Amino acid sequence: MSYHRPDALTDALALLAAGSPTILAGGTDLYPATSAQELRGDILDITGIAALRGITDAAGEIRIGAATRWSDLVAADLPDAFDALKLSAREVGSVQIQNAGTLGGNICNASPAADGVPPLLILDAAVELVSAAGHRRLPLAEFITGNRATRLKPGEIVSAVLVPKAATAGRSHFLKLGARKYLVISIAMVAARLEEDAGVIRSAALSIGSCSAVAVRLPAVERALIGQSVADFDIPADLVGQALSPIDDIRADAHYRAEAAVELLTRTIKGVVP
């Protein structure tokens, strides 16, 4: 096994172009998924690359480096629309895990229960992908294609998550349901972002995770909420159910997940506006 920890992005991309090392971006998913006593093959640790860390306010968008840690997100000074993302960051394992795990690693692991994905979907987030041949960007909703599946090409890494300023209006909230209160993989989780005026919902962005192979937005439900009162709204459960494809597993069955998603969505929306 060869272990590489470059401090320059160009060096990392050269290593990727020359071979197929496993990318380590914190290791909080990679190590538990390794059945052997040690990692096998060549390892490319990208956590030493300063260009992949931090949060910057660029022209028209907010850029979050892929190697930005969960604890960095919790401490960041961000608009209220990012509250759901910060709340999800507090739910990622223990504080020790939050100090090591990264946003990019969470996205690329592509678990249906990835805590960071629903809060990013309600922010219309995109991912920036770089390789020795150049760079491209994809909406996050198109990047994750299934359980542990993404559109990452050989030689590419996710370098940043990009949030358009137009999606940072309003307030947001995040709730997660599990078998216990802390250190849990979710049965269902919901992120919601609302803009309201005089108690009336003017726009809504809603996302549910752990109830399909990929976390999903709920555009039909979002449209149904527009014009309703934030104090007395109605969630069309049939529209929620049509958007989801929950499974039976050790944590919950599909029927429970579907019902829990509607209740969790109601509570999350109520949590957006104090």
Side-chain angles (χ1 to χ4, degrees):
M1 182 189 84
S2 297
Y3 173 78
H4 306 276
R5 191 172 187 267
D7 56 15
L9 180 57
T10 52
D11 293 339
L13 296 179
L15 287 165
L16 277 174
S20 301
T22 298
I23 298 175
L24 188 152
T28 58
D29 287 310
L30 180 61
Y31 284 114
T34 303
S35 57
Q37 291 186 334
E38 61 182 21
L39 297 178
R40 301 289 178 84
D42 295 335
I43 303 298
L44 173 58
D45 184 345
I46 64 171
T47 59
I49 303 173
L52 297 181
R53 298 196 306 270
I55 303 169
T56 55
D57 190 337
E61 61 188 15
I62 293 176
R63 177 188 179 89
I64 307 173
T68 300
R69 301 170 302 172
W70 294 109
S71 54
D72 297 328
L73 285 166
V74 171
D77 183 13
L78 290 165
D80 292 342
F82 285 84
D83 284 354
L85 182 60
K86 298 177 78 167
L87 286 168
S88 74
R90 294 180 183 275
E91 297 276 0
V92 180
S94 63
V95 173
Q96 293 91 334
I97 294 296
Q98 294 166 22
N99 285 337
T102 62
L103 184 61
N106 187 251
I107 291 170
C108 290
N109 188 54
S111 166
D115 292 305
V117 176
L120 289 172
L121 288 176
I122 64 169
L123 292 169
D124 295 333
V127 292
E128 179 185 78
L129 307 164
V130 295
S131 69
H135 70 276
R136 62 190 180 111
R137 61 191 290 168
L138 284 173
L140 177 61
E142 296 178 15
F143 175 70
I144 301 176
T145 58
N147 183 8
R148 314 288 182 177
T150 72
R151 292 178 64 183
L152 198 67
K153 295 179 180 179
E156 280 186 331
I157 64 171
V158 172
S159 54
V161 174
L162 309 169
V163 175
K165 290 283 187 66
T168 62
R171 302 174 61 88
S172 69
H173 195 57
F174 172 86
L175 286 176
K176 175 177 173 176
L177 173 66
R180 57 181 186 261
K181 187 169 179 60
Y182 298 110
L183 307 179
V184 64
I185 298 173
S186 64
I187 293 171
M189 55 183 164
V190 172
R193 178 173 62 89
L194 299 180
E195 293 181 69
E196 57 93 16
D197 181 24
V200 175
I201 298 172
R202 296 305 181 195
S203 71
L206 311 171
S207 180
I208 294 180
S210 285
C211 291
S212 303
V214 179
V216 295
R217 281 280 295 265
L218 306 173
V221 182
E222 293 169 2
R223 291 191 294 270
L225 283 175
I226 295 174
Q228 294 196 48
S229 166
V230 294
D232 184 22
F233 58 88
D234 178 61
I235 296 290
D238 57 330
L239 295 181
V240 176
Q242 291 169 21
L244 305 180
S245 53
I247 63 169
D248 298 323
D249 65 11
I250 194 171
R251 293 189 294 279
D253 62 31
H255 178 73
Y256 179 81
R257 276 193 164 92
E259 290 200 342
V262 176
E263 176 62 26
L264 203 62
L265 186 59
T266 301
R267 297 184 187 187
T268 307
I269 292 171
K270 288 181 178 179
V272 173
V273 182

